[in-house]
Amino acid sequence: MEDILVEKAVKTGKTRALPVGLPIKSNYILGIETSCDETAAAVVENGRTVLSNVIHSQIDLHRAYGGVVPEIASRAHLEKISFCVDKALEESGKALADINAVAVTYGPGLVGALLTGLSYAKGLALALGVPLIGVNHIEGHICANYIDNSRFKPPFLCLVASGGHTALVIVRGGDSYEVVGQTTDDAAGEAFDKAARALGLSYPGGPAIDEAARTASGNRAINFPRPRMSEDNFDFSFSGLKSAVLNYINKEREREARPDVPETAAAFQEAVVDVLTEKTVRAALHYKIKKVALSGGVSANSALRARMRRACKENGLTLYLPDTRYCTDNAVMIATRSYFDYCAGKYSDFSLNAAPGLRLARAGE
Ligand code: KG4
Ligand code: ZN
């Protein structure tokens, strides 16, 4: 990446200041993200400096259904995409003529939603005569750790915990993502959403549980299982935990009691945080990787961030946390991921199709 090259050049000198007159040509990537229920556009300079970050959330449209309705999502993306791109350009102070490449999520995600952003990005790249760069959404989440952080570099171990994915990924370079553990059923975010729904909290469930748990007493009378925590591998499972919460709530109702929402939310959150932290730290120690990073919507969770900070410190690991606004879906992370490909001249063909089931390869695959 260009800024890494610049940093190297600077490091060889006696001072850390940039040599006067060093020709650094900035470049600007327009990122587009429409894989689920956020229509997002952003302009990013040299892969890491955020010039604009526009997100139009569809949460209000889907809330009544308790989850994302694909058909509604596609239509809403179509309605909002032009507005978001225009706003991202305006806020960045850049014109279309300044854009050097268009980066867009092509998978995984909802097929109709992905196609909306992908078609828009293709049209724009074609009209501007600039490269199109298709981005894997999961790699985008991981790359949120580079945003506004010019010194962060691989290798590192990244926990990806979002609504659709939970995985431990070893990142050895801008183009190297190796899964060493993943969920065998529900994603962590999905478990948060389902537990919240059972507790009568609003959608999306993660922030609602995070909030409710803050008001819990701290005398943990409820104890939920920690699925697969003691197994000698780095895989996760969250569907049993979700069922344990549902069973607990039903039992409380059977004895005509109302479940205590803050206490139940805190007990559930603690179980998820325990498992995610334990496995992440164990994987970092096992693979002898000193840098640990978090990514995905669940990494915005306040209890997870606090626990990871503590656990990494106790184990001599350095923790990197993206700003919470870059944990959930955004287009900055898409532009940031694409910058590695842009620098390597790896552009997408205009026949690029949406890949709803796109995934990262497991180690050894
Ligand atoms: O990364 P993301 O925006 O979208 C996907 O790629 O899935 O993640 C959304 C997920 C949702 O399940 C949401 O409940 C969860 O992230 N989430 C949280 C928090 N904020 C968002 N989970 C726990 N605590 C939070 N503060
Ligand atoms: Zn996401």
Side-chain angles (χ1 to χ4, degrees):
M1 290 180 70
E2 202 170 271
D3 49 1
I4 290 176
L5 295 179
V6 169
E7 209 181 292
K8 268 191 194 151
V10 173
K11 271 189 187 155
T12 56
K14 292 221 166 4
T15 157
R16 292 200 65 82
L18 282 174
V20 177
L22 186 74
I24 306 169
K25 194 176 174 309
S26 282
N27 67 63
Y28 306 99
I29 298 184
L30 174 72
I32 294 177
E33 156 63 40
T34 64
S35 66
C36 191
D37 60 346
E38 259 99 28
T39 315
V43 178
V44 177
E45 182 177 358
N46 295 339
R48 301 199 189 203
T49 305
V50 184
L51 299 190
S52 62
N53 175 27
V54 175
I55 302 172
H56 177 265
S57 168
Q58 304 176 359
I59 283 174
D60 290 342
L61 295 178
H62 301 288
R63 189 168 280 127
Y65 306 94
V68 180
V69 183
E71 175 77 16
I72 294 176
S74 313
R75 287 173 181 274
H77 285 310
L78 197 57
E79 277 170 19
K80 290 289 182 235
I81 184 120
S82 267
F83 167 79
C84 289
V85 169
D86 288 351
K87 197 155 181 255
L89 283 164
E90 191 189 314
E91 287 182 7
S92 72
K94 297 289 156 198
L96 271 177
D98 299 318
I99 298 301
N100 299 94
V102 179
V104 61
T105 304
Y106 73 103
L110 303 167
V111 67
L114 290 166
L115 283 172
T116 314
L118 188 54
S119 307
Y120 191 95
K122 282 185 187 182
L124 194 57
L126 207 55
L128 295 175
V130 300
L132 170 79
I133 303 176
V135 170
N136 179 325
H137 181 82
I138 310 169
E139 295 177 4
H141 271 303
I142 294 171
C143 289
N145 285 284
Y146 298 114
I147 300 171
D148 290 334
N149 184 354
S150 63
R151 303 203 181 286
F152 186 57
K153 306 182 196 159
F156 61 93
L157 174 79
C158 190
L159 170 70
V160 187
S162 70
H165 306 273
T166 301
L168 279 165
V169 182
I170 295 178
V171 182
R172 298 199 192 277
D175 204 18
S176 164
Y177 302 86
E178 193 181 59
V179 175
V180 293
Q182 62 196 345
T183 181
T184 50
D185 42 55
D186 291 354
E190 201 176 343
F192 266 99
D193 293 337
K194 288 175 177 167
R197 196 173 177 177
L199 283 169
L201 296 170
S202 67
Y203 174 83
I209 289 201
D210 199 342
E211 184 75 39
R214 281 176 223 256
T215 58
S217 66
N219 67 355
R220 303 287 181 261
I222 313 165
N223 197 20
F224 291 123
R226 271 70 173 151
R228 305 192 73 148
M229 191 159 87
S230 51
E231 280 182 20
D232 191 19
N233 58 46
F234 305 113
D235 288 333
F236 303 95
S237 164
F238 292 105
S239 74
L241 180 55
K242 171 199 67 191
S243 307
V245 174
L246 289 175
N247 289 341
Y248 173 77
I249 294 172
N250 288 337
K251 276 204 188 116
E252 287 294 283
R253 289 198 179 124
E254 266 167 30
R255 58 179 198 94
E256 297 193 353
R258 236 194 275 158
D260 184 317
V261 174
E263 296 301 325
T264 316
F268 163 81
Q269 181 171 273
E270 208 161 281
V272 177
V273 167
D274 269 359
V275 178
L276 291 177
T277 309
E278 163 74 21
K279 292 239 166 178
T280 303
V281 168
R282 196 142 35 89
L285 298 175
H286 177 85
Y287 289 102
K288 299 186 172 46
I289 299 180
K290 287 275 178 205
K291 285 189 268 186
V292 171
L294 305 189
S295 66
V298 178
S299 62
N301 184 270
S302 57
L304 179 65
R305 292 168 86 90
R307 177 75 65 79
M308 279 282 188
R309 271 197 200 99
R310 259 201 335 267
C312 284
K313 200 167 172 212
E314 281 164 14
N315 288 280
L317 304 167
T318 309
L319 179 68
Y320 293 82
L321 292 167
D323 188 296
T324 50
R325 79 195 121 147
Y326 303 126
C327 291
T328 43
D329 289 351
N330 65 87
V332 176
M333 67 186 200
I334 302 305
T336 296
R337 167 61 186 96
S338 78
Y339 188 63
F340 290 100
D341 287 346
Y342 180 80
C343 292
K346 275 178 63 183
Y347 308 147
S348 300
D349 194 89
F350 277 85
S351 63
L352 181 68
N353 205 344
L358 190 65
R359 59 191 191 96
L360 299 180
R362 187 138 192 155
E365 264 185 1

